[in-house]
Amino acid sequence: MSNTSTPSRRQLLKLTGAAAVAASVPFVPGVTRLASGTETGQARHGLSVFGDLKYAPDFTHFDYANPEAPQGGKFIFTAPSWGYNQNPLTYNTFNSFILKGDAPPRMELCFDTLMVRAFDEPDAMYGLVAETVEISEDGNTYIFNLRPEARFHDGSKLTAEDVAFSLMLLKGDGHPQISQNIQELQDTEVLDEHRVAVHFTGNQSRQMPLFVAALPIFSKRYYTRYDFSQSTLTAPLSSGAYKVGKHAVGRYVEYQRFPDYWGNDLPVLKGQKNFDIVRIDFYRDRQVSFEAFKKGEMNYREEFFSKIWASEYNFPAFEEGRVVKREFPDGRPSGAQGWFINTRREKFKDPDVRRALSYAFDFEWSNKNLFFGVYQRTQSFFENSEMKAEGMPGPQELKLLDPFRDQLPESVFGEPYIQPVSNGSGSDRSLLREAGRLFKQAGFERQGSELIGPDGTQLTIEFLNNSPSFKRIILPYIKNLERLGIKATFRLVDAAQYQSRLNDYDFDICSRRYSLTPTLSETIRTFWGSEAAKIPGTSNIAGISDPVIDALLDKALEAQTREDMNVAARALDRVLRSGHYWVPQWTKPIHTVALWDMFGYPAEPPRYDFPVEDLWWIDQEKAEKLGKAG
């Protein structure tokens, strides 16, 4: 993580001339600026953290969706992304919104939400279950007016009781990446069958109401019979465009489009959810999944291995044109991908130790010899965005950083930290010497072939991973660490154990990628906040705990304008990079995709997401040529 044109039942304010009024709208802590120029207490069709909404109340569909797209067919793939307790390699539960268990990716397809994102706007949301929303004058209460036609798959009504119940259930028992993000949700109140009030404490960020509006809605009746906090392979009652269909645990799961889905014709869904079946297959080995794709057992593959992309698309179906390769732009912040260092462990507490580890990874050699030169080095936690820190800090950044000058290294006030560049030999001696100097500065001594720490023992590092394909990348890095006297090993574990160990922070170093939205939300606290470092299952796997970072997180989330947010993010980026919490890996601003040539898709994909399973469709004529129609 996610419409009839019937006239609204409540008054909607037109956006005409709204931009002229925007500057006069005062900022109230916690209030989200929605469709600038609207008044508090009036019903509105969308939410946006900054500025105006692109789509007027009478819009018929999102510009990037094809309202004429045919429906039908089957989309079969391995998941390129996932969230919460989802696992792309296996599953043992259909409860995707708690910490316990491993759920299949895309369970969110089965659940409706109050509102949904527009993927061609950086932070806008429009009504799904909620037709409109009203905001109190102090910005601390949001009243969602629900569509009376909303239904669960068993035909029962989806009401305000279900919404109120769901939000408090997620606050109490939801996955930490949910529950920790909605702590400032005070309570919920059922006003009538189709009106629910969500009360915030007054300390919420501007983004939190949008986060809440995107959370799944559960059936209160169903979850008063079943324990939400437990993992289960019983498919839950849900209300979304899809429901759980055929499945074989650990092998595949099919999400079947619900034929009588109540929201089929709503503007926010027109031209979307086109496949009858969205099927996810599970493979423990990427090469095995590639062989399955080549045989046509899957019809879509997002390729993450440059070696395969560059040299292995030479099989008959590709050479005959039945399989094609495509590249699509990725306009999102690319986020952070790297080897994250567990600073909860004593041996990694010194920043000099963590920095030294970066000098042993030869990206230039890896990019040339392993990646066919297709990648760029990741430097920032906010790559591919205006939030990335570059050059000397500007006046506004310094205004945020100066109060903490005595708590920060002087380097934060200069150029942001850049990862070392090697000579591409694979064992650049000058970089290894610098690593040795940093280790010595941190109290380590070389004794023969071993690097001995202040505790009198050799420094050991275990790289935890769940993909054998990563071994060829990690082994050259390990070889350089061994040259420094470190005993480094690669530990391959199964998918369930990997997720469990990450949840419990039971690792030295692990590889992970996190993507960010163009408007920062409460989730950044679970990435880098001190509280998240102490709670199992959050995204703060490095264990970052720094009061300065906490303060800058607050500044980013309190920002009144996008530029203020970008400035705060750049200041935050400088501090994070100076902490050396990771060894950054690589990035590319495109999606590299291979597919059996049977699909139709929008001519211009939305900038801020790439939801193929939502927006694409089967092109019947192409499918017939491949013998894959029907």
Side-chain angles (χ1 to χ4, degrees):
M1 318 181 72
S2 78
N3 295 343
T4 61
S5 49
T6 313
S8 169
R9 290 176 173 77
R10 296 181 172 84
Q11 180 183 7
L12 294 175
L13 185 67
K14 299 289 185 181
L15 297 178
T16 308
V21 191
S24 67
V25 178
F27 171 68
V28 180
V31 175
T32 305
R33 284 178 61 196
L34 317 165
S36 301
T38 58
E39 301 296 330
T40 56
Q42 290 188 326
R44 59 200 80 192
H45 70 298
L47 305 179
S48 176
V49 176
F50 301 115
D52 298 331
L53 298 169
K54 174 181 177 179
Y55 295 96
D58 58 353
F59 81 103
T60 59
H61 64 277
F62 291 132
D63 289 347
Y64 52 80
N66 175 13
E68 305 302 321
Q71 294 190 325
K74 184 180 290 190
F75 183 71
I76 311 171
F77 70 132
T78 57
S81 60
W82 53 92
Y84 304 135
N85 70 348
Q86 295 173 1
N87 194 320
L89 301 181
T90 190
Y91 68 95
N92 51 38
T93 180
F94 287 125
N95 190 344
S96 183
F97 304 104
I98 61 172
L99 180 60
K100 188 174 182 179
D102 298 271
R106 301 302 182 272
M107 276 299 297
E108 59 274 15
L109 291 173
C110 301
F111 293 91
D112 282 324
T113 55
L114 288 167
M115 310 186 85
V116 294
R117 278 186 58 205
F119 297 131
D120 56 351
E121 298 179 80
D123 56 35
M125 300 187 77
Y126 297 87
L128 177 58
V129 170
E131 185 174 18
T132 58
V133 58
E134 304 162 24
I135 306 173
S136 65
E137 186 173 355
D138 63 5
N140 294 330
T141 297
Y142 282 61
I143 298 175
F144 293 94
N145 302 303
L146 310 187
R147 300 181 193 270
E149 63 268 33
R151 293 287 188 277
F152 290 101
H153 292 153
D154 66 353
S156 60
K157 291 182 178 180
L158 191 162
T159 69
E161 287 276 1
D162 298 301
V163 175
F165 169 81
S166 299
L167 295 180
M168 299 313 294
L169 185 66
L170 287 166
K171 180 179 178 180
D173 296 325
H175 192 283
Q177 292 174 21
I178 299 175
S179 62
Q180 294 306 304
N181 285 331
I182 58 175
Q183 288 304 299
E184 302 304 330
L185 189 163
Q186 189 171 60
D187 59 33
T188 56
E189 180 184 2
V190 176
L191 303 179
D192 63 38
E193 188 177 31
H194 302 301
R195 282 168 57 84
V196 60
V198 179
H199 301 293
F200 297 96
T201 64
N203 298 318
Q204 73 278 4
S205 70
R206 301 160 67 92
Q207 294 84 345
M208 187 181 292
L210 281 75
F211 185 87
V212 167
L215 290 174
I217 300 171
F218 307 120
S219 164
K220 179 179 179 180
R221 181 170 56 86
Y222 180 85
Y223 278 109
T224 50
R225 296 200 312 267
Y226 294 94
D227 186 354
F228 175 75
S229 66
Q230 296 301 311
S231 59
T232 176
L233 282 167
T234 299
L237 175 64
S238 53
S239 64
Y242 290 87
K243 67 175 184 177
V244 175
K246 295 179 182 178
H247 57 275
V249 174
R251 291 178 50 213
Y252 72 89
V253 60
E254 292 186 354
Y255 299 108
Q256 182 177 355
R257 189 155 56 87
F258 192 68
D260 298 319
Y261 175 50
W262 70 271
N264 270 331
D265 296 322
L266 291 175
V268 292
L269 293 181
K270 194 70 174 176
Q272 302 183 55
K273 316 294 185 185
N274 299 312
F275 299 110
D276 281 344
I277 300 290
V278 173
R279 172 173 164 142
I280 295 179
D281 285 349
F282 294 84
Y283 295 91
R284 301 296 179 94
D285 186 281
R286 194 76 180 173
Q287 188 64 43
V288 175
S289 73
F290 182 52
E291 294 301 320
F293 172 77
K294 287 160 62 174
K295 294 175 183 177
E297 294 174 13
M298 292 185 289
N299 52 25
Y300 174 93
R301 176 182 173 90
E302 184 162 1
E303 188 57 74
F304 295 102
F305 283 82
S306 52
K307 177 178 182 292
I308 295 177
W309 185 254
S311 64
E312 296 188 27
Y313 280 85
N314 52 15
F315 49 93
F318 180 76
E319 293 173 344
E320 295 162 4
R322 292 181 292 149
V323 170
V324 295
K325 293 164 68 174
R326 295 285 184 265
E327 294 183 353
F328 297 91
D330 186 356
R332 302 168 300 170
S334 61
Q337 176 173 319
W339 285 290
F340 285 85
I341 304 165
N342 189 356
T343 63
R344 299 171 186 83
R345 301 204 160 169
E346 189 63 35
K347 58 187 173 184
F348 298 129
K349 288 192 179 298
D350 192 319
D352 283 337
V353 171
R354 304 194 295 267
R355 183 180 176 188
L357 297 178
S358 290
Y359 282 82
F361 174 53
D362 193 330
F363 168 77
E364 286 66 34
W365 181 90
S366 297
N367 196 34
K368 178 182 177 181
N369 293 279
L370 301 178
F371 306 146
F372 295 82
V374 303
Y375 287 115
Q376 304 164 12
R377 184 71 191 272
T378 298
Q379 299 288 351
S380 166
F381 287 81
F382 301 97
E383 285 290 345
N384 198 35
S385 80
E386 295 179 356
M387 295 179 280
K388 177 181 178 178
E390 296 183 281
M392 297 294 288
Q396 296 304 309
E397 288 179 68
L398 288 174
K399 186 177 179 180
L400 297 177
L401 294 169
D402 274 334
F404 307 106
R405 190 174 283 270
D406 61 345
Q407 302 174 58
L408 292 170
E410 188 58 34
S411 61
V412 169
F413 299 89
E415 300 273 348
Y417 182 76
I418 299 295
Q419 295 298 316
V421 178
S422 80
N423 60 16
S425 66
S427 58
D428 189 322
R429 292 185 178 182
S430 64
L431 297 189
L432 294 178
R433 280 197 298 271
E434 178 61 15
R437 185 191 71 79
L438 288 167
F439 278 124
K440 187 171 184 178
Q441 191 169 288
F444 287 76
E445 294 289 341
R446 186 69 179 260
Q447 296 181 11
S449 61
E450 297 182 356
L451 185 66
I452 305 300
D455 63 355
T457 64
Q458 183 183 16
L459 178 58
T460 63
I461 297 176
E462 180 184 88
F463 288 84
L464 185 69
N465 210 280
N466 62 354
S467 172
S469 302
F470 235 76
K471 188 173 184 178
R472 72 187 186 97
I473 300 169
I474 293 178
L475 287 183
Y477 185 16
I478 286 177
K479 189 173 182 180
N480 275 342
L481 292 172
E482 289 173 342
R483 290 188 174 107
L484 292 168
I486 299 167
K487 184 180 179 181
T489 56
F490 174 76
R491 178 70 180 275
L492 182 67
V493 297
D494 64 53
Q497 185 181 356
Y498 183 72
Q499 191 60 51
S500 176
R501 287 186 61 173
L502 260 58
N503 287 343
D504 294 334
Y505 311 122
D506 180 19
F507 64 90
D508 285 342
I509 294 178
C510 72
S511 182
R512 201 68 181 256
R513 179 180 183 270
Y514 297 107
S515 59
L516 298 169
T517 54
T519 300
L520 299 180
S521 71
E522 214 72 30
T523 57
I524 61 174
R525 296 193 197 278
T526 68
F527 288 168
W528 308 307
S530 296
E531 282 301 311
K534 299 178 287 189
I535 298 169
T538 73
S539 297
N540 190 351
I541 57 176
I544 298 170
S545 182
D546 183 331
V548 177
I549 290 174
D550 292 338
L552 292 174
L553 292 173
D554 289 341
K555 293 293 184 182
L557 293 174
E558 291 167 2
Q560 299 184 35
T561 67
R562 183 167 298 281
E563 181 53 30
D564 287 346
M565 182 196 73
N566 288 339
V567 167
R570 289 194 285 267
L572 175 63
D573 192 31
R574 293 177 189 277
V575 177
L576 286 168
R577 287 159 72 174
S578 75
H580 309 288
Y581 299 107
W582 64 334
V583 179
Q585 292 175 349
W586 44 83
T587 185
K588 55 181 173 59
I590 55 172
H591 298 277
T592 46
V593 165
L595 54 128
W596 285 79
D597 194 14
M598 57 189 291
F599 296 105
Y601 44 82
E604 293 187 17
R607 176 178 179 182
Y608 296 113
D609 211 337
F610 192 57
V612 173
E613 58 271 33
D614 284 342
L615 297 180
W616 288 24
W617 62 90
I618 298 292
D619 184 313
Q620 194 66 19
E621 184 177 343
K622 288 182 176 181
E624 287 174 358
K625 288 180 180 179
L626 293 180
K628 291 181 176 288

